[in-house]
Amino acid sequence: MPGESGANDPVGIALMAGLLGTSAGSALDTAGHTALIFVQEMAIGAVLGAAGGWGLKFLMRKVPLPAEGLYPLRTLAGAFAVYGLTTVAHGSGFLAVFAAGVLLGDVRAPYKKEIERFHTALGSLGEIVAFAVLGLTVPLWTFTREGAWTDGLLLAVLLAFVVRPVVMAVLLWRMRLSTGERVFLAFTGLKGAVPVLLGSYLVSSGVPDADRLYDVVFVVVVFSVVVQGSLVPTVARLCRVPMRSVELEPWTLGVRLKDRPEGIARHVVEEGSAADGSTVDGLDIGESTWISMVVREGGIVPVSGSTQLRVGDEVLLITGDSEEGCAGPFTAGRQ
């Protein structure tokens, strides 16, 4: 759940930074100082993240580069710049990068697919490195002596089956969700790389018993990944939450264009729409629009007037009208 992680992780990191930055004092002083740092980091991070996102959006759409391989590197450099400038300004660099990414998510820009594939691969590599470092920095033979196994498992069980369900019950009580959906959301709060990062903050800050606390973080993360992660399909089935396996589609077909394509629209045939079961000739899409390609179950279907469309077909149209103007036949409830 990227949205939940994007909202939670910057907040958790900012709170940890605030707590580690407080000096010894009364609980009230510590809470006040932590709250001040938290508000400062969130506000600066949101503002600079939005500004950085708009700046990157302008660069991606208006400033050409001499080679295709430079486009993903430009966005990567932009993310580093947003993070660095926000951190120097005492804001949350993580929130700033997340906010910039949200603004760039739907932008139409040259080499957008290549940029997305590059950053997806980079993100997967980062997760692998984070867990590899976690495994290399935790001596397993010290767990029994320091009690990390016991404390970590107890904390993991409390987080998975008590704390998160209670918090999610409060947050979701006014949302129109079934009981199964609520249970599923309450169970699937998986822990990943960010707890590892927070644990490393403890070690680098010289907190008392930092090594033991880092070991506890290791146990919690392993429990979450191995136990909760492996049970997600089972819980989804018991809660009647639909899940589907997405097969890999290693082949792609693309065409390079010098100018931005304004008359291209892509739609998916929805169940109950006018296109469901209709032939191409029978669709009311206007005289200035025609279907150039249909993709069904990962393969290309030859298009003719008698081609019958099915639910789930991806349809590529060339049109002189706006994209919204030809979306009706493919969307359920619209004609």
Side-chain angles (χ1 to χ4, degrees):
M1 289 175 282
E4 183 182 357
S5 299
N8 289 344
D9 294 345
V11 172
I13 294 170
L15 287 174
M16 176 66 76
L19 289 172
L20 295 177
T22 57
S23 57
S26 65
L28 184 60
D29 292 339
T30 300
H33 186 267
T34 301
L36 180 62
I37 294 178
F38 173 77
V39 172
Q40 171 186 301
E41 290 207 3
M42 292 293 101
I44 296 176
V47 172
L48 293 185
W54 284 109
L56 283 173
K57 182 178 180 180
F58 174 82
L59 291 176
M60 290 173 64
R61 298 182 63 177
K62 302 297 183 181
V63 180
L65 295 175
E68 173 185 341
L70 296 178
Y71 284 82
L73 294 180
R74 177 169 62 184
T75 56
L76 179 62
F80 284 147
V82 170
Y83 178 88
L85 291 173
T86 306
T87 303
V88 170
H90 302 289
S92 173
F94 298 93
L95 178 62
V97 173
F98 177 73
V102 170
L103 290 175
L104 296 176
D106 294 328
V107 65
R108 294 186 65 189
Y111 299 104
K112 178 70 177 295
K113 290 297 182 182
E114 287 76 3
I115 293 173
E116 291 176 347
R117 282 195 291 266
F118 174 82
H119 287 285
T120 299
L122 202 61
S124 299
L125 177 62
E127 291 179 355
I128 293 171
V129 171
F131 282 102
V133 171
L134 176 63
L136 293 173
T137 54
V138 175
L140 297 179
W141 56 86
T142 65
F143 275 35
T144 303
R145 184 176 68 253
E146 296 181 354
W149 280 116
T150 305
D151 294 345
L153 288 175
L154 178 61
L155 181 60
V157 170
L158 287 174
L159 288 173
F161 300 106
V162 179
V163 177
R164 179 178 173 87
V166 170
V167 172
M168 294 301 292
V170 174
L171 294 177
L172 300 176
W173 74 278
R174 296 196 64 179
M175 298 187 67
R176 296 179 180 178
L177 299 174
S178 66
T179 302
E181 291 170 336
R182 294 175 187 272
V183 172
F184 180 76
L185 289 175
F187 180 79
T188 53
L190 306 182
K191 283 75 182 172
V194 171
V196 179
L197 174 65
L198 297 179
S200 67
Y201 282 0
L202 296 174
V203 176
S204 61
S205 299
V207 174
D209 292 329
D211 291 337
R212 179 175 173 277
L213 293 173
Y214 190 75
D215 292 346
V216 171
V217 170
F218 174 85
V219 176
V220 172
V221 171
V222 170
F223 177 90
S224 179
V225 172
V226 175
V227 178
Q228 284 184 276
S230 61
L231 289 177
V232 166
T234 302
V235 174
R237 185 174 64 255
L238 294 175
C239 295
R240 297 184 179 181
V241 174
M243 295 186 69
R244 61 185 180 90
S245 300
V246 179
E247 296 183 3
L248 295 178
E249 298 177 345
W251 301 100
T252 184
L253 178 63
V255 177
R256 298 294 186 191
L257 301 174
K258 182 179 179 181
D259 299 318
R260 171 178 168 176
E262 299 290 352
I264 303 296
R266 174 187 170 275
H267 299 288
V268 178
V269 177
E270 299 182 1
E271 185 176 2
S273 64
D276 182 10
S278 172
T279 62
V280 171
D281 280 344
L283 279 178
D284 182 16
I285 55 178
E287 296 182 355
S288 61
T289 302
W290 64 94
I291 296 176
S292 63
M293 182 181 296
V294 175
V295 178
R296 177 180 299 159
E297 297 179 353
I300 297 177
V301 177
V303 179
S304 65
S306 60
T307 301
Q308 189 175 34
L309 300 178
R310 303 177 185 174
V311 175
D313 285 354
E314 298 182 32
V315 181
L316 184 68
L317 299 94
I318 301 178
T319 174
D321 302 326
S322 66
E323 185 174 341
E324 282 296 320
C326 56
F330 305 97
T331 305
R334 296 175 60 182
Q335 302 296 328

